[in-house]
Amino acid sequence: MSGIRDLRRIVRMLPPDAETAAVIREWVEQENSLLDVSALDLSGSDLSGADLAMALLTQTVLRSAKLVGTNLYRAHLEGAVLDEADLSTASLVKAELDEASLRGATLDEADLGSASLWAVDARSARFRTAKLDGASLIDVKLEGADLTNASVRETSLKAVLDEHTVVRGLSGTLFGPAVVDQVGARREIDGLELERWLHSRGARVRVIGPRRGDITYYAKFSEGYSRSNPQGIVRRRMVNGVAHDEAFTRNLRWEPTEYLRRYELGHHEVDPVEISEAEAFAFIEEVTGRDK
């Protein structure tokens, strides 16, 4: 199919799926609209250089798509399939990539500053010279991934690494712990041990501990709940002036959330109330003990 170009709305190659192609054509014609192709199939399409800021790509299939230099600022890519996609030099700043699949994807020189990558499968993906500053890589599979010369600055790298993960030239600071898979045997390492493991493979990073003074906790409660018995708790962790919001979920762990940001935009009726760290820990102990 022929390409479409309208200002910053660049579509070099439409996807073969007719329904998806029609949605994209409509988006191109409506100058001020956001692209919403959630759960559609864009495999093989070429959106290189397009402005997809804040686009809705939740559970979208983008297998082998070309997204070179594409602006995906704050884009929603939760559950998206980006296997073998080319995102070289793309901007994924503050993008939501939770539970996405990036197997074999290319993200060379991409900017993933403050992006959220929870439970992402990035095995054999390439992040050469990529910026991962302030990103949250939680429960990410990085076996066989290439992070040559990538930068991390107060980045959460709670990922699975193996002997085939390339970290040569990786530089900056990061939070652990990481899980190292050696011949099928996995073990969690953190602090100096993680630092030495990375350095032995050519990285130049410092593993740092969390600064609790930069974390603010909030409780959510409405009718029938109280401060001592809230519906749930969220926290905001500030890293270099960038807010990382997390909620303690039913999975009994901290996971990324948009709750505080949406509240600030007026999208929630339940007001969050600031609580102390001790109150937050008491809630966690109560919940985890209740579910044992």
Side-chain angles (χ1 to χ4, degrees):
M1 289 187 183
S2 61
I4 298 175
R5 182 184 179 93
D6 181 8
L7 300 176
R8 292 177 297 170
R9 298 182 176 223
I10 302 168
V11 182
R12 300 177 188 279
M13 179 68 71
L14 287 167
D17 181 78
E19 178 186 359
T20 307
V23 171
I24 292 176
R25 284 196 178 96
E26 183 177 354
W27 167 72
V28 169
E29 293 169 1
Q30 297 177 356
E31 186 174 331
N32 297 316
S33 63
L34 289 177
L35 178 64
D36 184 354
V37 286
S38 299
L40 295 180
D41 191 347
L42 276 73
S43 295
S45 59
D46 189 345
L47 293 159
S48 297
D51 185 358
L52 304 183
M54 296 183 283
L56 301 176
L57 297 146
T58 304
Q59 297 184 337
T60 300
V61 179
L62 289 150
R63 189 176 286 109
S64 299
K66 291 184 179 180
L67 297 156
V68 178
T70 301
N71 180 16
L72 290 158
Y73 171 75
R74 281 192 182 277
H76 286 271
L77 290 147
E78 296 94 334
V81 178
L82 291 146
D83 298 345
E84 306 295 334
D86 189 349
L87 293 113
S88 301
T89 70
S91 173
L92 290 145
V93 173
K94 296 186 178 181
E96 300 288 340
L97 288 145
D98 299 345
E99 298 186 288
S101 181
L102 289 162
R103 294 194 67 171
T106 300
L107 295 104
D108 295 348
E109 299 183 54
D111 190 347
L112 292 99
S114 301
S116 178
L117 295 90
W118 170 72
V120 167
D121 187 348
R123 285 176 286 182
S124 300
R126 279 180 24 186
F127 296 87
R128 296 177 183 173
T129 323
K131 294 180 181 178
L132 295 161
D133 301 338
S136 294
L137 283 75
I138 311 294
D139 294 337
V140 174
K141 296 176 180 177
L142 287 173
E143 298 100 312
D146 187 347
L147 287 87
T148 300
N149 295 326
S151 68
V152 288
R153 187 173 61 183
E154 300 199 357
T155 299
S156 294
L157 192 68
K158 299 178 181 180
V160 180
L161 315 171
D162 68 2
E163 294 296 324
H164 301 290
T165 304
V166 180
V167 295
R168 185 175 57 254
L170 179 70
S171 62
T173 56
L174 57 84
F175 299 100
V179 173
V180 174
D181 188 328
Q182 294 177 300
V183 198
R186 294 190 173 191
R187 63 189 184 92
E188 186 176 278
I189 59 175
D190 200 359
L192 284 175
E193 185 180 12
L194 174 56
E195 200 170 286
R196 288 166 181 160
W197 190 91
L198 293 166
H199 286 191
S200 70
R201 288 158 176 78
R204 304 185 304 276
V205 299
R206 181 167 60 90
V207 177
I208 54 179
R211 298 199 305 264
R212 291 185 177 177
D214 292 337
I215 302 175
T216 306
Y217 296 90
Y218 301 89
K220 300 185 293 180
F221 58 86
S222 55
E223 186 177 353
Y225 295 88
S226 65
R227 184 180 183 121
S228 60
N229 179 35
Q231 290 171 269
I233 59 173
V234 296
R235 68 182 182 185
R236 171 161 287 178
R237 180 168 58 86
M238 298 300 296
V239 179
N240 291 332
V242 178
H244 296 263
D245 297 338
E246 299 165 314
F248 195 78
T249 71
R250 293 179 180 178
N251 295 322
L252 304 183
R253 61 190 177 194
W254 292 104
E255 296 177 350
T257 181
E258 287 288 312
Y259 176 82
L260 291 174
R261 287 193 179 97
R262 289 180 178 177
Y263 172 76
E264 291 166 349
L265 293 172
H267 297 320
H268 285 293
E269 295 180 0
V270 180
D271 294 338
V273 177
E274 185 173 341
I275 58 174
S276 67
E277 182 180 72
E279 288 175 298
F281 285 1
F283 172 83
I284 292 171
E285 289 179 2
E286 171 67 20
V287 172
T288 55
R290 186 190 309 154
D291 288 5
K292 286 181 180 179

